[in-house]
Every structure is written in structure tokens, then in C-alpha cells.
Amino acid sequence: MHFMSQPRYNPRTQRDDWYYRIKESFRDLTGRVRSRVMLTVGFIDEPHRPEDIRDIGKCLTYLHEHQGQEELFGNPLSRYNGFVQRKTREFWHEMVNNGSIDAVEASMEESREKAERLVDMNTIQHSRCP
């Protein structure tokens, strides 16, 4: 997962600021590259560094890839600062509650159905050919 950001006018601070969305890019079963907005974060009012935003994306990717697995060696996110850990947990819980984690699975299932309807041109034979 990664953050997509764009400058927007923030009415709270009355100046342009970064507006964030969390996106996930993936390739479906038909080979088409797709992306989906997982969560619209909006403006982050707390002070942060660009590295923090990158690290939150890394942590969310880790949680998504290892969901349901037990941690054997402690919390893998403990090497990140408190802001990154707190925002990662906050955004992860929002995505789980919104069902956007499961939405990618549904999209993959939809592409599986489309892939099964495709015909392999190399295996087609005319019915009158022996």
C-alpha cells in the first residue's frame, strides 16, 4: 500500500496542505494492472516527516500481507516511531471496519470469473477437422 498525495486548500489552516489517500495497486488474474483507494485519510494535522508517510505505507503493507499470522519475535512495527505505529493502527482499523481490505479479494474473484470466460486461441479446433 502506498500514499497518494495532492496539494489542496485546507479550510482549517487556511492554506494549501497535503491531502492523503491510501492506495493499493495489484494485477488481477487477467493480467490487468488495477489500483484501488483503500482509505481516504484527508489532511494529517500532526507534525510529520515524509519518511513517516512512507513508513506508514510499509507497515500497512506488512499488516496486509501477514494478517492472521502470529508474531513469533515480538511486534515487527516496534522499530518505527510512535507516530508511525499509532497512525498505522488507526488506518488499519479504519480499513478493516470499512471493509476495504476485503474489497480487493472481491475484485480478484471478479477477475477470476472473467479469466475463466476467456478462450485460448491456440487450443481452438474447428469441429470438422479431425
Side-chain angles (χ1 to χ4, degrees), residues 52-68:
D52 293 338
I53 299 300
R54 179 201 63 210
D55 291 343
I56 292 170
K58 286 181 178 181
C59 293
L60 289 170
T61 300
Y62 178 85
L63 290 175
H64 182 62
E65 291 173 351
H66 295 90
Q67 58 183 325

Side-chain angles (χ1 to χ4, degrees), residues 8-126:
R8 277 194 178 179
Y9 178 75
N10 186 343
R12 195 174 151 280
T13 61
Q14 297 191 357
R15 62 182 175 91
D16 285 344
D17 210 349
W18 290 107
Y19 190 83
Y20 296 100
R21 291 183 181 92
I22 299 173
K23 286 183 76 174
E24 181 178 42
S25 299
F26 59 97
R27 190 174 296 273
D28 67 10
L29 296 174
T30 61
R32 184 173 160 204
V33 176
R34 303 184 74 181
S35 66
R36 179 181 300 273
V37 174
M38 304 290 283
L39 180 68
T40 301
V41 174
F43 300 106
I44 298 178
D45 295 329
E46 296 177 62
H48 60 278
R49 304 170 303 158
E51 297 85 19
D52 293 338
I53 299 300
R54 179 201 63 210
D55 291 343
I56 292 170
K58 286 181 178 181
C59 293
L60 289 170
T61 300
Y62 178 85
L63 290 175
H64 182 62
E65 291 173 351
H66 295 90
Q67 58 183 325
Q69 295 178 357
E70 189 173 323
E71 300 298 336
L72 298 176
F73 302 107
N75 183 3
L77 309 181
S78 63
R79 69 182 204 161
Y80 297 103
N81 66 37
F83 173 79
V84 171
Q85 291 182 39
R86 187 174 74 259
K87 287 298 186 181
T88 298
R89 284 192 302 270
E90 176 186 330
F91 297 154
W92 179 256
H93 290 300
E94 282 186 50
M95 288 189 294
V96 168
N97 291 339
N98 292 341
S100 40
I101 299 297
D102 298 331
V104 172
E105 300 295 327
S107 178
M108 290 299 283
E109 184 59 35
E110 178 184 318
S111 74
R112 175 177 286 114
E113 291 171 6
K114 283 184 181 179
E116 289 173 353
R117 288 192 303 250
L118 296 178
V119 176
D120 184 3
M121 296 300 292
N122 295 326
T123 62
I124 294 178
Q125 291 184 347
H126 194 276

